[in-house]
Amino acid sequence: MAFAVFADGSANLPKKYLDGIQLLPCEYTVNGKPETYLGDVDSFDAHAYYDGLRKGNVIKTSLLNTHLFLTQFTPILEKGLDVIYVSMSSGISGTYNAAIAAAQELMEEFKGRFVHIVDSHGCGFGNGLLAMRAALLNKKGMDAKDAAKILDDEVPHTCQYFTVDDLNFLKNTGRVSGVTAMIGTALHIKPILFGDSEGHIVSCAKVRGRQKAVEVLAKKYKEKKMDVQDLPVCISHGDCIQDAQNLADRVMTITPNVPITICQHEPFSGAHVGPGMLGLFFRGVER
């Protein structure tokens, strides 16, 4: 049975990868003013957004709620189609649980229909790559239940490693302590972070200096990489394009023919990692 593929603005997908994917909006506030991000990362003014954060803008994000999923999924099910939604990690947001509640309600209402929520255990391209894979499986005519199993099996192989330039943004969201942020900033310590097997953001290394952080990200790719299976290696950045290109060049020396996508990091999770965030997303042997 054919199915519809959903993701949301946190998937970080450029327009060229949106064929077959429907995006749900993400809500946040900038200094108390409501904003809606529809997921068009190509039109997102990253410099203005991250420069605002540098200057002290206060941005607060909201989870996607159950009502949104009900209103978006219902018309699809009424057409006789199934639904697969690739969610940002349950370890960093309540969005996954809200989607699960909607799925249970809808499958009770629409007997015989299938609604599956993929817990990507990631964010940004960490769920975007899985949404792209879901769209490819759909185009191949795969049954929704078979596609759901493949996607769930792919979650542990969707690697995401990133670094941040300012630890205070992680401090503000409770990822590091105030003391750690203060000392790390003074000593120019750059953490290497990743989404673990439960979807929590954890540190796997700490290095001194930005250049060393870029080197370690490339080293992680060399250690973990697998075949891309029609999916690119993706790099996202919080208004630091030169660092992103530096990382891309290092990836190309490891796998010269791999397709690489570079784009700005979306605003929804960008508020939590801040300007200078640099992330590398790819298919790997393990996280």
Side-chain angles (χ1 to χ4, degrees):
M1 174 63 66
F3 58 93
V5 177
F6 283 86
D8 58 66
S10 74
N12 217 118
L13 294 173
K15 286 181 180 178
K16 65 181 179 179
Y17 294 136
L18 289 178
D19 186 25
I21 301 173
Q22 300 184 51
L23 290 180
L24 303 178
C26 291
E27 307 285 345
Y28 61 96
T29 62
V30 180
N31 298 328
K33 180 183 177 181
E35 298 281 350
T36 299
Y37 175 62
L38 300 176
D40 184 3
V41 74
D42 291 323
S43 299
F44 166 52
D45 189 342
H47 175 69
Y49 179 86
Y50 287 109
D51 203 41
L53 282 173
R54 293 183 184 103
K55 294 175 180 177
N57 281 354
V58 176
I59 298 177
K60 295 183 179 180
T61 59
S62 302
L63 60 82
L64 281 66
N65 59 51
T66 298
H67 177 71
L68 174 66
F69 294 118
L70 292 173
T71 57
Q72 294 289 324
F73 295 169
T74 295
I76 303 299
L77 299 171
E78 289 175 339
K79 294 177 182 179
L81 300 176
D82 294 327
V83 170
I84 291 180
Y85 166 63
V86 182
S87 170
M88 68 185 84
S89 172
S90 62
I92 62 174
S93 172
T95 293
Y96 172 77
N97 289 329
I100 286 290
Q104 292 171 344
E105 181 175 335
L106 289 169
M107 284 193 287
E108 181 64 27
E109 179 180 353
F110 293 90
K111 302 295 185 182
R113 293 275 59 81
F114 179 67
V115 181
H116 183 70
I117 313 302
V118 179
D119 185 352
S120 70
H121 286 167
C123 199
F125 279 118
N127 50 311
L129 284 172
L130 288 166
M132 290 166 59
R133 185 74 189 281
L136 289 172
L137 295 174
N138 196 20
K139 290 175 184 177
K140 292 178 180 179
M142 184 169 292
D143 176 86
K145 291 184 178 180
D146 292 335
K149 183 179 186 309
I150 289 174
L151 293 167
D152 287 343
D153 289 344
E154 278 296 302
V155 169
H157 299 291
T158 306
C159 295
Q160 48 197 330
Y161 291 91
F162 66 99
T163 189
V164 297
D165 200 40
D166 187 343
L167 285 166
N168 285 302
F169 289 95
L170 289 172
K171 180 200 74 174
N172 293 339
T173 56
R175 300 302 179 189
V176 300
S177 70
V179 172
T180 297
M182 181 179 65
I183 294 174
T185 299
L187 297 178
H188 303 288
I189 299 298
K190 308 299 180 186
I192 306 300
L193 305 159
F194 76 109
D196 68 10
S197 60
E198 295 181 348
H200 299 115
I201 297 173
V202 296
S203 173
C204 60
K206 295 177 182 178
V207 298
R208 183 169 295 181
R210 182 72 166 185
Q211 185 63 28
K212 185 63 176 179
V214 174
E215 292 175 7
V216 173
L217 288 174
K219 181 180 179 182
K220 288 294 182 182
Y221 173 72
K222 185 175 183 179
E223 292 172 352
K224 304 283 188 178
K225 65 179 175 62
M226 290 176 65
D227 60 288
V228 297
Q229 292 193 350
D230 299 323
L231 297 178
V233 171
C234 295
I235 296 171
S236 66
H237 65 93
D239 196 29
C240 54
I241 184 61
Q242 291 183 336
D243 288 337
Q245 189 59 59
N246 183 4
L247 179 56
D249 291 343
R250 291 175 181 275
V251 169
M252 289 294 289
T253 63
I254 298 167
T255 48
N257 297 318
V258 70
I260 298 178
T261 288
I262 301 174
C263 72
Q264 53 261 24
H265 191 74
E266 46 80 20
F268 194 67
S269 63
H272 302 277
V273 291
M277 174 273 181
L278 181 65
L280 180 63
F281 306 82
F282 59 94
R283 187 171 189 266
V285 292
E286 62 180 358
R287 293 197 170 200

